[in-house]
């Protein structure tokens, strides 16, 4: 049955909290959302016009000129809060979708790949332009070159306070540590 | 990520035919939690609305999850939820504003993640 579900752990007292995972093509966004999520990957679609704007009403939704984009989506229920994780496509042609996904988000975890550092620039620009709090996690692949963190910070032009972590997107413990670092950073910014 | 020219209809015919009444001011968004109001009589609802109520019988879900479970795009389910919430069938809990996050919520997230 299409709408069967196996859980029932969220209550109306839970506060929904949105977190966004961003990064360039193939960096591990889908992998980390699935590693973190307590629910099976769900396939939800966003409908965009060819001009790249979001379709937000029923008129036009069946037009031939619309395309759909599947969004990575995961959930983590904690005492008192339910985290919703959204994987955001990094390409600037999805600017409108990006704006929508980060609206109301607590923060963004930016995934980077040291084999293709330059690919992260567009995503970091999106994050900075959105004025949203973020941390950077380098997703380590077997053939990833290892750079000292100073060199990476310089290459990515990071603020000294922005957390820079190394993670394995497939490992839930490592993925959670990255989220914790992000939220601790946000707490520091709020307190300062 | 899959994208491409859409061949099939995004909204199935039963949905397009449903009388979705949409309130003027919609606050519903992707992570809004949705649940069924107490003592709701589900008779006489259109198929998408009654599917949604069946789905929510076990407890609240976000609008995005509802969309995934119903197999409908978010933009459609958002309107469906907004209409049913305006009519009193569904209750919603909006996410808190994120510009100045509540410290208490941040602590809950940190301690919750650490405890996993
Ligand atoms: N060795 C290694 N492989 C990884 C890691 N994370 C992801 N992968 C692999 O890298 C590939 C790409 O990962 P995805 O999670 O699909 O990347 P994505 O960012 O969702 O990619 P797009 O949606 O296409 O932009 C997959 O084959 C993963 O299995 C990692 O930490 N280590
Ligand atoms: Mg992906």
């Amino acid at each position: 049955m299409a709408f069967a579900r196996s859980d029932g752990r969220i209550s109306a007292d839970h506060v929904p909290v949105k977190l966004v995972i961003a990064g360039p093509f193939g960096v591990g966004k889908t992998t980390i959302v699935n590693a973190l999520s307590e629910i099976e990957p769900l396939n939800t679609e966003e409908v965009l016009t060819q001009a790249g704007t979001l379709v937000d009403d029923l008129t036009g939704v069946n037009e031939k000129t619309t395309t759909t984009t599947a969004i990575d989506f995961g959930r983590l229920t904690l005492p008192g809060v339910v985290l919703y994780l959204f994987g955001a496509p990094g390409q600037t042609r999805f600017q409108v979708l990006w704006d929508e996904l980060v609206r109301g988000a607590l923060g963004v975890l930016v995934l980077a790949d040291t084999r293709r550092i330059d690919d992260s620039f567009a995503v970091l620009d999106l994050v900075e332009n959105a004025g949203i709090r973020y941390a950077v996690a380098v997703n380590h692949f077997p053939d990833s070159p290892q750079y000292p963190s100073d060199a990476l910070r310089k290459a990515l032009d990071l603020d000294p306070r922005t957390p820079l972590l190394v993670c394995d997107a497939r490992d839930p413990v490592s993925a959670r540590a990255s989220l914790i670092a992000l939220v601790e950073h946000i707490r520091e910014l709020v307190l300062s | 990520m899959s994208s491409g020219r859409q061949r099939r209809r995004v909204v199935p015919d039963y949905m397009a035919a449903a009388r979705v009444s949409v309130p003027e001011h919609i606050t519903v968004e992707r992570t809004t939690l949705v649940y069924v109001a107490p003592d709701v009589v589900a008779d006489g609802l259109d198929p998408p609305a009654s599917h949604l109520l069946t789905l929510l019988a076990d407890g609240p879900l976000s609008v995005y999850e509802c969309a995934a479970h119903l197999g409908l795009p978010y933009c459609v389910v958002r309107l469906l939820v907004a209409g049913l919430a305006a009519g009193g069938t569904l209750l919603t809990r909006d996410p808190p504003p994120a510009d100045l996050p509540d410290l208490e919520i941040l602590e809950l997230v940190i301690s919750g993640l650490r405890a996993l």
Side-chain angles (χ1 to χ4, degrees):
Chain A
M1 191 159 86
F3 40 94
R5 49 181 288 207
S6 55
D7 58 89
R9 297 204 284 138
I10 309 175
S11 80
D13 295 329
H14 276 88
V15 177
V17 170
K18 189 203 270 187
L19 290 170
V20 172
I21 314 284
F25 181 73
V27 74
K29 300 179 294 291
T30 302
T31 305
I32 199 169
V33 170
N34 292 345
L36 287 164
S37 182
E38 69 193 11
I39 54 173
E40 294 288 305
L42 291 174
N43 192 347
T44 310
E45 289 181 330
E46 297 281 348
V47 186
L48 296 117
T49 67
Q50 271 184 330
T53 57
L54 271 182
V55 174
D56 63 358
D57 58 31
L58 290 178
T59 45
V61 95
N62 275 336
E63 299 289 315
K64 282 208 184 65
T65 53
T66 57
T67 60
T68 59
T69 298
I71 300 290
D72 301 314
F73 175 67
R75 188 185 85 194
L76 205 47
T77 311
L78 306 173
V81 286
V82 52
L83 298 186
Y84 286 111
L85 308 160
F86 291 77
Q91 296 89 327
T92 35
R93 72 188 167 93
F94 292 121
Q95 174 81 51
V96 179
L97 180 54
W98 165 267
D99 289 344
E100 270 282 312
L101 289 181
V102 298
R103 197 156 49 84
L106 192 61
V108 178
L109 184 68
V110 177
L111 290 184
D113 181 344
T114 54
R115 299 169 303 178
R116 304 176 286 127
I117 280 287
D118 294 7
D119 287 3
S120 301
F121 296 162
V123 179
L124 286 168
D125 283 346
L126 282 171
V127 178
E128 304 249 339
N129 290 340
I132 191 153
R133 302 169 180 96
Y134 69 97
V136 178
V138 170
N139 188 20
H140 193 76
F141 290 84
D143 53 340
S144 295
Q146 303 236 27
Y147 298 107
S149 112
D150 286 354
L152 269 178
R153 284 187 171 280
K154 202 158 176 228
L156 293 168
D157 193 21
L158 294 186
D159 183 288
R161 290 187 303 175
T162 303
L164 175 63
L165 310 130
V166 177
C167 81
D168 182 333
R170 300 162 300 179
D171 173 15
V173 175
S174 170
R176 285 200 292 266
S178 304
L179 282 193
I180 291 169
L182 167 65
V183 182
E184 285 180 335
H185 171 58
I186 295 168
R187 180 178 59 182
E188 255 171 59
L189 292 178
V190 170
L191 284 172
S192 66
Chain B
M1 180 190 347
S2 72
S3 71
R5 190 67 72 87
Q6 198 59 38
R7 293 260 161 69
R8 68 182 169 82
R9 292 173 71 78
V10 172
V11 179
D13 290 338
Y14 74 80
M15 182 71 210
R19 292 175 305 281
V20 179
S21 58
V22 179
E24 258 170 42
H25 185 65
I26 301 178
T27 58
V28 173
E29 69 124 320
R30 291 170 180 73
T31 55
T32 298
L33 287 184
V34 191
Y35 49 107
V36 183
D39 306 323
V40 157
V41 184
D43 295 352
L45 291 173
D46 284 312
S50 65
H51 287 176
L52 185 56
L53 261 64
T54 307
L55 178 66
L56 293 171
D58 293 343
L61 283 179
S62 66
V63 175
Y64 225 59
E65 288 168 285
C66 293
H69 286 295
L70 294 175
L72 292 169
Y74 160 71
C75 60
V76 173
V77 176
R78 172 174 172 267
L79 297 182
L80 182 62
V81 168
L84 290 168
T89 306
L90 295 181
L91 300 177
T92 58
R93 170 153 200 179
D94 290 326
D99 36 330
L100 192 62
D102 190 306
L103 271 179
E104 204 179 315
I105 292 173
L106 293 173
E107 296 293 353
L108 281 174
V109 175
I110 294 166
S111 60
L113 284 171
R114 285 198 182 286
L116 284 177

